């Protein structure tokens, strides 16, 4: 009998070495399809700015946008764990984070995700104390795209890799119960996953993290912009939506995905 995925069951997966599978979702129909195939985690990503709204980056997305799509996804979900992105500048102060996180939790999220390192420690601690579970996000953080000068791999230099390890440990210490790592070398994804007790989900972070997440439009090959190196078009391989999701799940759990061609060294 299928059981609802929780923070505790995700932790149990990490401890058992059972890979976590995750996809973004933005509406009830796709959420239901993914949920029925057995996806562990659904993320209402601010990626909706690019894949749904046609923006150049994620910055124009609002909390109201995320809340609307979170409600849609929640209505189509029975088992998967639902995480909602907190958009650009919606958590610039602890008080704004509390207010905006409350809106996303009321819309149906079971956890919120924030981008950034130790500067968020007090905010994360405050959110957790107020009953809001938090997922961190390090590496290439799309909301900081203009600081990075584009969508670039992070942590290749030794000092910057160590900084990311330190930042990850700080987020865990602050109370984050999950971490997403994006666009970092495989070896760094492995090192951080081994150092942290909380589950680490990668996107372009190699196969040694505790799980994988892809933007659904990339996984289905229908992105309006471009196909990232770290993604794979499963619909082209299977010709069927449900089979595409099943193959993605199987390849993540077996360690077949991501391969070296979808990773950074």
């Amino acid at each position: 009998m299928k059981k609802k995925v929780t923070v505790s069951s995700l932790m149990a997966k990490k401890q058992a070495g059972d890979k976590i599978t995750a996809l973004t979702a933005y509406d009830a129909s796709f959420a239901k399809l993914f949920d029925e195939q057995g996806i562990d985690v659904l993320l209402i990503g601010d990626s909706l700015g690019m894949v749904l709204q046609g923006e150049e980056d994620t910055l124009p997305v609002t909390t109201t946008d995320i809340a609307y799509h979170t409600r849609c996804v929640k209505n189509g979900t029975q088992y998967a764990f639902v995480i909602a992105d907190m958009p650009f500048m919606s958590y610039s102060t602890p008080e704004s984070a509390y207010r905006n996180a409350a809106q996303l939790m009321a819309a149906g999220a079971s956890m919120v995700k924030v981008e950034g390192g130790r500067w968020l420690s007090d905010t994360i601690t405050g959110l957790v104390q107020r009953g809001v579970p938090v997922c961190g996000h390090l590496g290439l953080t799309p909301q900081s795209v203009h600081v990075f000068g584009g969508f670039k791999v992070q942590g290749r230099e030794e000092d910057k890799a160590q900084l990311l390890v330190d930042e990850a440990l700080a987020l865990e210490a602050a109370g984050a119960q999950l971490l997403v790592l994006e666009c970092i070398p495989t070896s760094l994804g492995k090192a951080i996953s081994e150092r942290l007790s909380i589950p680490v989900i990668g996107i372009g972070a190699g196969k040694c993290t505790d799980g994988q997440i892809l933007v659904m439009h990339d996984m289905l090959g229908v992105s309006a912009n471009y196909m990232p190196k770290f993604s794979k078009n499963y619909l082209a391989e299977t010709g069927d939506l449900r089979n595409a999701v099943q193959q993605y799940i199987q390849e993540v759990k077996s360690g077949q995905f991501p391969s070296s061609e979808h990773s950074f060294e």
Side-chain angles (χ1 to χ4, degrees):
M1 180 179 177
K2 291 175 67 175
K3 293 183 178 180
K4 187 169 179 59
V5 179
T6 64
V7 169
S8 297
S9 62
L10 292 173
M11 181 68 78
K13 282 180 175 289
K14 176 184 176 84
Q15 294 168 348
D18 183 11
K19 296 288 188 180
I20 296 165
T21 60
L23 286 170
T24 63
Y26 315 95
D27 64 40
S29 296
F30 274 104
K32 184 174 186 292
L33 187 151
F34 297 158
D35 191 62
E36 288 174 346
Q37 304 314 306
I39 280 285
D40 297 314
V41 177
L42 292 177
L43 169 68
I44 299 85
D46 58 5
S47 50
L48 70 86
M50 300 172 75
V51 298
L52 296 188
Q53 298 173 341
E55 303 287 356
E56 291 185 355
D57 51 44
T58 64
L59 274 59
V61 176
T62 67
T63 302
T64 300
D65 291 335
I66 297 287
Y68 170 81
H69 289 281
T70 296
R71 185 170 290 107
C72 294
V73 168
K74 183 64 175 178
N75 287 342
T77 304
Q78 190 171 358
Y79 303 105
F81 189 72
V82 176
I83 304 175
D85 256 343
M86 295 198 69
F88 180 63
M89 293 299 286
S90 67
Y91 49 97
S92 56
T93 65
E95 291 71 24
S96 64
Y98 305 155
R99 181 176 63 254
N100 290 312
Q103 184 179 349
L104 298 180
M105 296 294 284
S110 295
M111 176 179 275
V112 299
K113 181 169 76 64
V114 295
E115 298 181 6
R118 67 178 72 244
W119 69 271
L120 280 169
S121 292
D122 289 345
T123 296
I124 291 172
T125 299
L127 283 168
V128 173
Q129 288 174 340
R130 288 161 177 78
V132 180
V134 178
C135 174
H137 185 154
L138 291 171
L140 173 58
T141 46
Q143 291 174 17
S144 300
V145 62
H146 295 304
V147 175
F148 293 145
F151 295 95
K152 299 179 179 180
V153 179
Q154 303 296 306
R156 277 184 160 149
E157 300 84 0
E158 186 175 347
D159 59 332
K160 292 181 179 178
Q162 185 58 52
L163 177 61
L164 282 175
V165 173
D166 294 342
E167 298 276 38
L169 290 168
L171 294 182
E172 180 179 50
Q177 293 174 287
L178 204 63
L179 179 66
V180 169
L181 293 176
E182 182 169 355
C183 285
I184 63 171
T186 297
S187 58
L188 182 55
K190 182 176 188 291
I192 293 176
S193 300
E194 290 176 347
R195 289 290 301 274
L196 267 58
S197 62
I198 61 174
V200 176
I201 298 176
I203 178 166
K207 65 179 181 180
C208 299
T209 54
D210 302 307
Q212 301 293 328
I213 184 167
L214 288 178
V215 173
M216 59 165 277
H217 291 71
D218 293 339
M219 192 269 287
L220 299 175
V222 294
S223 290
N225 298 316
Y226 75 104
M227 177 68 76
K229 170 183 168 66
F230 53 72
S231 192
K232 180 177 178 180
N233 184 345
Y234 282 93
L235 183 58
E237 292 197 0
T238 62
D240 178 84
L241 287 173
R242 289 168 179 80
N243 290 342
V245 178
Q246 276 293 329
Q247 185 172 323
Y248 168 65
I249 291 172
Q250 291 166 6
E251 290 191 3
V252 170
K253 289 188 174 298
S254 69
Q256 187 177 343
F257 179 84
S259 64
S260 57
E261 68 178 291
H262 307 110
S263 306
F264 304 100
E265 303 305 326

